[in-house]
Amino acid sequence: MLKYLKKYWIYCLLAPLFMLGELTMDLLQPDMMATIVDEGVLGGNLQVILQEGLRMMLLVLFGGTSGVLCGVFATFAALRFGNDIRKDLFARVMDFSFEQTDRFTTGSLITRITNDVTQMEQLVMMLVRSLVRCSVMFVGGIIMLYRQSPRFALVAACGLPFITVFVVFFLKKVSPLYTVIQKKLDRLNSIMQENIAGARVVKAYVKEDYELKHFSQANDELCDVNLRAQTILAFMNPCVNIVLNLCVVGVLYVGGYTVSQNGGITPGQTMAAITYLSLILMRIVFMANIFQTFTRASASWKRIKEVLETENVQQAGEGKQEAGRKGEIEFRHVSFAFPDTPDLPVLKDISFRVNPGETVAIIGSTGSGKTSLVQLIPRFYDVTQGEVLVDGVNVWDYPMQALRDKIGIVQQKTELFSRSIEENIRWGKEEAKESEVSRAARIAQAEDFILRMPEGYEAQVAEGGHSLSGGQKQRISIARAVIRDPEILIFDDSGSALDLKTEAALYDALNREFAETTKIVVAQRIASVRQADRILVLDNGEIRDSGTHEELLEHSAVYQEIYRSQMKREVTA
Ligand code: TTP
Ligand code: MG
């Protein structure tokens, strides 16, 4: 945490310094008031009233200005500090592997980047403002009270232990609740995020009430814990007030008695003593608030640190990759299970080789492991056994960027950003010229529909790509991949939302323009794979057969079955 504060040390220093100016005003004012009352009002000396009044006004001006400056510097330090942490958190999250993002959950990561950082900002604000203010006021108040009379200080000394006991008691009860509150907030954010992103599904199934119940339950749980914490704290203030008022009675008694006995205490001093007394005792309550903020922030800091200290589990290599462009892929006895289900193998002993420039298709029923298999090539996940080689080098030995630069992958689930169509395509290669963008769109069979739109390439894509059809989204993400002109192109069911004619035109264009590029085409339809140089038939995580369309039709039972079922469907249709 200090690492983040160090950059703003000057503000962290200036804020408390100006705070001292504000404190001087708060501490001297009651004393001046005592002089005005004793010498001016009771002594009938107008001169003293005017003189002290003027001094008091100047003091207020000085104190007020200091207060404003203190606030400005403290806010600056706190917000800049939070800003830096948020940036680092986001960068770290961007660096996470798929497995790590899954483990933290999206909702929790959002809470950590927003709410937890806000708690830390409040802590900094409090450290540079309230902590200094509280401690100086407390000590200064005692000194000033003692100056009025040591007897008053004795009264304060009697009240202090009681207030401390109350405050410690309540804080002990409330502190553990803050960790619970953050967990509940995580859950609420997860539900909200899922439901807002999936609003169309919720509506399609008319599940608004069902999801509202789900949300309300999480919301109520959060509210309940918050209420529990606030109720405990609500008891603290009356208890402190009772002690405080008893002390005020004590001061009045001591003051009144001594004044009546002419014992050296004036009415003005008694009045000032009451102000100082509240000042001192209320500091304990403020200290309790500081402690609360501290407890909340330390729970938040733990969660922030957890993210900041999580290194990407995937250790990348240091550049042993061969120079030159080839595009060769080899799987050697690869087995794979997802990290959260290690006992459930998704791929079993997969071995195959794709030569540079070859087009290999992977076909198989849903859930057979096609997506899992292609995700191992750019290291979205790591193999459990065996090895994956790209251009003869184990993918583990590549620096991550070098490996991913070689590959253009169109994932099964299309993710577009809420920017213009052009920006979405250019996302694959920022420095691409306009001609490259339109070439990529042409190859992806997207140009026609883009130019038909009134705004063409400038048309904005709505959040989640909702303003586009499934097939349009697929084609834009294909354009985004091909614009990179990679050595290897992977299409994970990327033609599934295209009609057969458009899909055929897409593969024709790819074969024409990317003849040298290695292509892996994952598909469910025979029509999408029959042109491939080789087809791998995946069944329940294993490669059953491989060969050309004709070869497979001859000797692969699984392929024949897929072929028959699709032919039958086409005939009946
Ligand atoms: P996939 O590899 O996604 O199967 P697939 O691509 O062949 O299926 P589809 O044609 O429908 O796209 O999944 C293989 C198995 O792995 C499946 O049982 C689900 C499981 N799985 C996970 O456990 N976690 C994941 O993140 C994914 C993608 C799959
Ligand atoms: Mg899939």
Side-chain angles (χ1 to χ4, degrees), residues 365-372 374-375 412-413 492-493 522 524:
S365 56
T366 174
S368 55
K370 303 181 296 293
T371 298
S372 313
V374 293
Q375 284 188 338
Q412 188 168 17
K413 185 170 180 291
D492 187 0
D493 225 2
V522 171
Q524 303 237 14

Side-chain angles (χ1 to χ4, degrees), residues 518-530:
T518 308
K519 292 179 272 304
I520 296 203
V521 178
V522 171
Q524 303 237 14
R525 296 191 297 213
I526 295 274
S528 316
V529 300
R530 61 188 304 165

